[in-house]
Amino acid sequence: MMEKGYWNYSILQALVISYKCTEAQSTYFSNIVTGTKNTMLEAVGRSVSTARPSTDCKADIAFLIDGSYNIGQRRFNLQKNFVGKVAVMLGIGTEGPHVGVVQASEHPKIEFYLKNFTAAKEVLFAIKELGFRGGNSNTGKALKHTAQKFFSLENGARKGIPKIIVVFLDGWPSDDIEEAGIVAREFGVNVFIVSVAKPTTEELGMVQDIGFIDKAVCRNNGFFSYQMPTWFGTTKYVKPLVQKLCSHEQMLCSKTCYNSVNIGFLIDGSSSVGESNFRLVLEFISNVAKAFEISDIGSKIAAVQFTYDQRTEFSFTDYTTKEKVLSAIRNIRYMSGGTATGDAISFTTRNVFGPMKDGPNKNFLLVLTDGQSYDDVRGPAAAAQKAGITVFSVGIAWAPLDDLKDMASEPRESHTFFTREFTGLEQMVPDIIRGGSSFTHVIHSSRKKQVWISATQKPTKLKMQIFPFHRNSDAILLAPFIQPDYAEVGRKWVQTNLF
């Protein structure tokens, strides 16, 4: 049976972190309201309300503006005015949101990239200089081009930051954008459609697909579509759009933030494990891997088995489908031998994660061990973390707590797991996937359950939301089904109740 304290502590930790994330966002938007100042929008010479830059909102955003004959020169300038207002209120800065602009017309044109400007004044000047191109509104062509070419590391895209394309449409697109929306989702891009001046009744016959918005956005749930009746008087629409773009927990298509990760499993193959328990470890690893979208542009899995020696079972580049990864895990042969965990961490950092250090995915290492290491684990684990690898330690049976904590990344409580029996690994899967908010910052799904957490020594209540696991593309996270229980947190006992 698993140690109740460790498992439930991890659940509580993740819930509190999720709450703090939401609380930080609320504070940020409160600051927008109370801390505004006026500045000149150089693009059209009008004063706009701007927010003080904040690092609470992090996003890499491409504004895909309409430069077709549909919009015309006058409304094109009004569109630039609105985009400028949004860019300023976002609080553009080195550590905050970065923006670029692409113009959709007959042929798409990337006006400037994320890396070109990191100050609001520079962005406003660049927007002012944008020229009207005309032609058909080939939005699908422009959306596909932006998803494929805009968000590269060379052009300023950042690791672990949500990628967003905000598509402005005046009327309707001249081409099919459904395929482009699919491409964007495969590249982990959140597509928003801001539509202005819907087609008239007479014009509807010219629209290829009346439901094109629902097919192009990241998810057809109402969040990713935004309607403005006209380009005049748009100031009141700025803040609601900014709030959407900064709502990280809603970015369901952010593979780079939420589901594009490199997960390395470091598996103890020592004699104390035994063949039958080793099979339980492999089953555990398979269940963790199943929760991620494994592909050449999504998550990647690698596995190393260790005793006194190390053996790379498969690397991150060997398999690019979930089926092949799961098959490879099933075929791992038990080694048997001693336990040198420190050397194994060093080996994995150097040989498995080393070739991936310049890639876009975030790196995670799960160390699974059932006993005391014969060598030092603290130094190799620190070196791994310095190389950008988040380390989770999973201990079973006789694994000493001190070793587990020495290996785990900060905060160690949410990166350290323990169970007395190998059969307890199955219950750990939800927490490992959620990863104490390290694999992702928040949890999302369409069906919600509310959890109240109250400390028995000091009655306080914190309203939380957790979400059950769905085996579909809308939910890439597994969250626990918590039963009423008690967990030791420091010196306090906390009761968790599911309503």
Side-chain angles (χ1 to χ4, degrees):
M1 181 177 179
M2 184 161 38
E3 287 279 292
K4 183 181 294 184
Y6 284 99
W7 186 56
N8 287 313
Y9 180 88
S10 163
I11 293 172
L12 180 64
Q13 181 78 5
L15 288 169
V16 171
I17 290 174
S18 177
Y19 168 77
K20 289 181 177 179
C21 179
T22 306
E23 185 180 46
Q25 291 171 359
S26 300
T27 302
Y28 168 59
F29 291 119
S30 174
N31 290 339
I32 288 180
V33 176
T34 59
T36 58
K37 62 180 180 179
N38 289 330
T39 186
M40 294 302 292
L41 177 62
E42 296 177 69
V44 292
R46 297 185 178 186
S47 79
V48 297
S49 176
T50 66
R52 293 192 181 103
S54 171
T55 57
D56 291 326
C57 179
K58 294 183 182 293
D60 287 343
I61 304 171
F63 292 112
L64 181 54
I65 63 174
D66 191 341
S68 69
Y69 288 137
N70 277 355
I71 193 169
Q73 180 70 63
R74 184 187 182 196
R75 297 203 302 272
F76 179 76
N77 288 335
L78 293 173
Q79 177 185 218
K80 291 198 299 182
N81 178 18
F82 180 76
V83 172
K85 292 176 183 179
V86 172
V88 171
M89 183 169 276
L90 280 167
I92 297 169
T94 304
E95 299 301 322
H98 290 182
V99 303
V101 173
V102 181
Q103 186 172 170
S105 57
E106 195 70 35
H107 302 286
K109 180 185 178 184
I110 297 177
E111 302 287 359
F112 58 90
Y113 288 101
L114 298 164
K115 68 178 182 180
N116 294 134
F117 310 109
T118 55
K121 289 183 179 179
E122 296 173 338
V123 170
L124 291 177
F125 182 79
I127 292 173
K128 174 187 175 183
E129 296 299 307
L130 297 179
F132 176 62
R133 293 175 62 81
N136 289 323
S137 57
N138 290 330
T139 309
K141 183 178 181 180
L143 176 57
K144 186 175 181 180
H145 179 79
T146 306
Q148 293 175 326
K149 305 294 183 182
F150 185 85
F151 294 100
S152 66
L153 295 176
E154 294 77 13
N155 294 327
R158 296 168 289 177
K159 292 184 179 181
I161 302 296
K163 296 185 292 188
I164 301 170
I165 298 177
V166 184
V167 181
F168 292 92
L169 274 177
D170 189 287
W172 68 96
S174 303
D175 59 350
D176 181 15
I177 65 175
E178 180 178 3
E179 180 186 352
I182 294 172
V183 170
R185 287 191 289 274
E186 285 300 315
F187 275 83
V189 177
N190 297 274
V191 176
F192 283 78
I193 302 288
V194 178
S195 56
V196 185
K198 288 184 177 180
T200 64
T201 303
E202 295 77 16
E203 294 170 331
L204 283 175
M206 303 174 61
V207 181
Q208 293 187 24
D209 186 352
I210 296 176
F212 67 87
I213 291 179
D214 290 340
K215 295 178 180 179
V217 292
C218 170
R219 288 288 188 275
N220 178 19
N221 60 3
F223 178 80
F224 294 92
S225 54
Y226 197 67
Q227 170 67 30
M228 296 193 301
T230 175
W231 285 112
F232 297 94
T234 58
T235 300
K236 63 183 177 181
Y237 298 104
V238 173
K239 180 186 171 186
L241 180 57
V242 168
Q243 288 177 324
K244 282 177 175 280
L245 300 180
C246 291
S247 297
H248 299 169
E249 75 279 3
Q250 298 290 334
M251 299 301 168
L252 308 185
C253 291
S254 290
K255 285 187 176 180
T256 52
C257 182
Y258 300 110
N259 208 31
S260 276
V261 292
N262 297 326
I263 307 174
F265 293 98
L266 187 53
I267 310 165
D268 188 344
S270 61
S271 301
S272 58
V273 174
E275 182 70 43
S276 60
N277 286 333
F278 189 76
R279 292 295 119 190
L280 292 175
V281 171
L282 296 185
E283 183 179 350
F284 164 78
I285 292 171
S286 295
N287 289 334
V288 173
K290 286 176 184 176
F292 293 88
E293 297 298 325
I294 301 169
S295 69
D296 55 348
I297 61 171
S299 298
K300 302 181 189 303
I301 306 293
V304 174
Q305 186 178 173
F306 72 95
T307 55
Y308 283 132
D309 297 318
Q310 308 85 33
R311 184 173 75 197
T312 301
E313 303 294 351
F314 56 92
S315 67
F316 290 119
T317 56
D318 287 341
Y319 305 111
T320 57
T321 68
K322 188 176 298 186
E323 293 74 17
K324 291 182 178 179
V325 165
L326 296 179
S327 176
I329 293 172
R330 286 194 299 270
N331 291 327
I332 293 176
R333 300 294 183 87
Y334 175 48
M335 290 174 63
S336 186
T339 308
T341 313
D343 282 349
I345 294 173
S346 297
F347 173 88
T348 306
T349 301
R350 181 176 61 254
N351 296 292
V352 178
F353 285 98
M356 312 299 290
K357 64 180 180 180
D358 295 324
N361 290 10
K362 299 185 78 172
N363 294 316
F364 296 87
L365 175 63
L366 271 70
V367 182
L368 296 103
T369 181
D370 80 327
Q372 174 80 49
S373 177
Y374 291 107
D375 60 359
D376 172 61
V377 297
R378 181 178 298 179
Q385 293 165 33
K386 187 176 181 180
I389 303 169
T390 300
V391 179
F392 287 78
S393 58
V394 179
I396 311 116
W398 302 279
L401 181 59
D402 288 343
D403 275 9
L404 298 177
K405 288 186 175 181
D406 284 344
M407 291 187 287
S409 293
E410 296 287 351
R412 290 178 177 175
E413 290 81 2
S414 58
H415 294 86
T416 304
F417 298 83
F418 180 82
T419 176
R420 289 192 180 280
E421 305 290 343
F422 282 87
T423 53
L425 286 171
E426 181 182 356
Q427 296 172 275
M428 278 189 186
V429 173
D431 279 349
I432 295 293
I433 294 170
R434 188 176 59 255
S437 82
S438 290
F439 285 129
T440 67
H441 294 292
V442 291
I443 305 168
H444 64 265
S445 175
S446 56
R447 299 187 302 185
K448 301 180 180 180
K449 293 185 179 181
Q450 291 183 338
V451 173
W452 291 83
I453 299 178
S454 59
T456 57
Q457 291 186 358
K458 183 179 180 182
T460 58
K461 288 191 175 183
L462 201 61
K463 191 174 183 180
M464 316 297 300
Q465 287 182 331
I466 65 167
F467 313 99
F469 179 56
H470 305 283
R471 294 185 180 275
N472 59 45
S473 59
D474 289 334
I476 52 177
L477 255 211
L478 179 62
F481 295 91
I482 305 177
Q483 299 299 325
D485 210 340
Y486 285 87
E488 187 177 8
V489 182
R491 294 185 178 179
K492 292 184 179 181
W493 285 90
V494 175
Q495 184 178 14
T496 62
N497 292 310
L498 181 62
F499 294 92

